[in-house]
Amino acid sequence: MDLVEQKRITLETRIEVKLDLSGNFIDESIIKTGIGFLDHMLELLSYHSGIGLNISAQGDLEVDFHHTVEDIGIVLGEALDTALKNRQGIARYGEAIIPMEEALSLVAIDLAKRPYFHYQVKFPTEKIGEFDTELIEEFLKALAMNGKFTLHVINFYGKNSHHIAESIFKALAYALKRALKKTEGEVLSTKGVL
């Protein structure tokens, strides 16, 4: 699980990601997407998961945030998949239920190479500042599909959209931290391979 560098360049975006599952540059993680709220969520994800993360993104933000947010999810997922290689020596499963004041969210993951995404979240507002709340689903879906893992996200309740989003990203961070915990031996599967 060494440092992974991943890029995606399209007519709409240019995304560069450096990811280190050992967290070697966690104190130096630099995240600049051009979208302040997304930077905040990704900084939380890096800090609470212990994953070193540098992200640089330029996108057609004058259109809207959709292409940039989705493409960051794609590239981050690809980098995670590359870093995990054959998934040997990790716990594989992780879950977390995280509160953020009045909001409570659950995230459960299986890092097996079987991508699946379930999302059960309703935000009370369509925007958090300038950020469309529907883009959280787009980001997480792109992350799971390109990271080739199963991801379930459920928000039980909450009144403040920012708090709901923060509880989701922190729960994702702690679920990843648990799933990435090092174990002895082979791939954690009765098949012997994922």
Side-chain angles (χ1 to χ4, degrees):
M1 292 193 247
D2 301 319
L3 174 67
V4 172
E5 297 185 38
Q6 197 81 28
K7 291 183 183 180
R8 178 178 170 89
I9 300 169
T10 73
L11 296 176
E12 298 164 338
T13 64
R14 179 185 181 90
I15 314 294
E16 296 181 31
V17 169
K18 290 182 184 177
L19 178 145
D20 188 339
L21 295 182
S22 67
N24 282 338
F25 55 94
I26 189 80
D27 294 334
E28 303 169 25
S29 288
I30 299 168
I31 298 170
K32 294 187 178 182
T33 68
I35 304 168
F37 181 75
L38 183 61
D39 288 354
H40 177 43
M41 294 298 105
L42 293 172
E43 287 162 2
L44 292 172
L45 178 63
S46 175
Y47 180 81
H48 288 281
S49 68
I51 296 172
L53 196 57
N54 285 358
I55 299 175
S56 172
Q58 293 93 41
D60 55 355
L61 302 183
E62 71 283 356
V63 175
D64 67 7
F65 296 165
H66 187 281
H67 299 141
T68 304
V69 172
E70 184 177 34
D71 283 5
I72 291 168
I74 290 170
V75 179
L76 185 54
E78 290 172 344
L80 181 60
D81 179 50
T82 300
L84 289 172
K85 299 176 184 166
N86 68 353
R87 273 62 167 174
Q88 183 174 342
I90 60 170
R92 176 180 163 182
Y93 297 102
E95 77 294 319
I97 299 175
I98 297 292
M100 178 62 192
E101 296 184 27
E102 87 298 340
L104 185 69
S105 297
L106 172 145
V107 170
I109 61 177
D110 174 6
L111 292 178
K113 293 187 177 189
R114 289 193 293 277
Y116 181 81
F117 179 63
H118 175 79
Y119 186 80
Q120 194 173 317
V121 179
K122 291 188 178 177
F123 285 96
T125 62
E126 292 183 1
K127 288 186 177 284
I128 302 169
E130 296 298 312
F131 186 85
D132 295 313
T133 52
E134 68 182 8
L135 293 180
I136 292 172
E137 180 176 6
E138 295 300 321
F139 169 81
L140 294 171
K141 182 179 180 182
L143 177 68
M145 295 298 104
N146 292 277
K148 297 178 185 158
F149 67 94
T150 296
L151 174 61
H152 293 259
V153 180
I154 299 170
N155 172 250
F156 296 113
Y157 45 80
K159 295 179 180 177
N160 181 292
S161 292
H162 188 122
H163 293 168
I164 292 170
E166 193 161 327
S167 70
I168 290 168
F169 275 83
K170 286 180 177 175
L172 174 60
Y174 281 96
L176 278 169
K177 191 175 202 172
R178 290 171 182 153
L180 292 169
K181 187 175 179 181
K182 291 183 180 177
T183 62
E184 298 295 328
E186 300 301 314
V187 172
L188 196 60
S189 170
T190 54
K191 295 180 180 72
V193 67
L194 294 175

